[in-house]
Amino acid sequence: MSGIIGKKIGMTSVYSVDGRNVACTVIEAGPCVITQVKNQETDGYQAVQLAYGERKEKNTPNALKGHFKKANTTPKKSVVEFRDFREEFEGMVALGNEITVGDVFKEGDFVDAIGTSKGKGFQGVVKRHGFGGVGQATHGQHNRLRAPGSIGGASYPARVFKGTRMAGRMGNDRVTVINLEVMKVVPEKNLIVVSGSVPGANNSIVVLEK
């Protein structure tokens, strides 16, 4: 599995080869620095750790300063580990090397995008789970149009089952969207355009996996 770290720029649309207007997300992917290389002998598995985005030195813990210094790079904001980096990168995998979007992806590839969805705060069951509410029902309904209704039994089971869909915090979760097609790659500007939407707000961190 190979991949890269990036930042969501925003959405646009492009025309595919068959003339369809496809909604797309623009991502500034990389350049990323290799800050650690793990192998079977020392770590029990093969992996490459990539780092992306500049971080102020004064806000970086000393342990991380030393970690980045080993790779001969400045402190970075995001660090992600990619297991079993593909064989075609064998010559490039070395501490301190730089990985760009053009090294990993090309037009026509399919990628998975991982991001943190927008937080929406504490929400009720209609917004959070798609409940229909009671509509304009009669029989004494008053100000209960978006209420959840009954949530449990009586003397048996005498409790509310775990996992019952109720009101609560919504969003701010790690979300993976799979099989997004790479519509365009602009290596000189570190940009990649993928079909469909990607989790998170603009300028949020996105991980692309191949």
Side-chain angles (χ1 to χ4, degrees):
M1 179 184 69
S2 57
I4 201 166
I5 316 168
K7 180 173 70 173
K8 180 176 175 179
I9 301 298
M11 293 197 70
T12 184
S13 62
V14 299
Y15 284 98
S16 63
V17 289
D18 55 355
R20 291 181 301 117
N21 189 10
V22 182
C24 298
T25 304
V26 182
I27 298 168
E28 181 188 90
C32 295
V33 179
I34 297 176
T35 50
Q36 191 175 5
V37 179
K38 297 189 175 183
N39 53 56
Q40 196 72 38
E41 294 74 34
T42 57
D43 304 284
Y45 66 99
Q46 287 185 319
V48 173
Q49 186 189 85
L50 298 184
Y52 168 79
E54 294 302 318
R55 178 175 182 168
K56 288 183 179 177
E57 188 137 349
K58 68 172 186 175
N59 296 336
T60 307
N62 285 334
L64 280 180
K65 283 181 188 175
H67 183 69
F68 292 125
K69 193 174 180 181
K70 278 184 184 177
N72 199 26
T73 185
T74 55
K76 302 295 181 187
K77 192 177 288 185
S78 301
V79 175
V80 177
E81 188 176 280
F82 295 89
R83 279 198 172 209
D84 302 319
F85 223 63
R86 290 180 182 271
E87 293 174 1
E88 60 260 33
F89 299 101
E90 200 62 46
M92 301 167 57
V93 175
L95 208 59
N97 279 9
E98 202 171 72
I99 302 288
T100 63
V101 65
D103 298 328
V104 185
F105 301 113
K106 62 181 186 300
E107 287 184 28
D109 286 345
F110 286 88
V111 301
D112 298 344
I114 305 168
T116 302
S117 61
K118 290 181 180 180
K120 301 182 189 304
F122 193 98
Q123 298 298 332
V125 291
V126 172
K127 184 178 178 77
R128 192 180 188 209
H129 299 296
F131 282 20
V134 296
Q136 299 300 318
T138 177
H139 298 290
Q141 297 292 342
H142 176 68
N143 283 347
R144 289 181 53 80
L145 300 184
R146 300 172 71 87
S150 175
I151 60 169
S155 58
Y156 178 81
R159 64 190 178 91
V160 177
F161 287 115
K162 285 184 178 180
T164 300
R165 293 179 297 167
M166 299 171 71
R169 238 177 62 178
M170 182 181 177
N172 198 34
D173 293 319
R174 178 184 167 95
V175 179
T176 302
V177 180
I178 63 173
N179 290 340
L180 301 179
E181 185 179 359
V182 176
M183 307 298 290
K184 198 170 186 181
V185 178
V186 189
E188 59 272 15
K189 292 187 177 179
N190 299 313
L191 294 179
I192 182 171
V193 181
V194 298
S195 63
S197 58
V198 168
N202 290 349
N203 297 317
S204 60
I205 294 297
V206 175
V207 177
L208 296 177
E209 292 180 346
K210 189 173 179 181

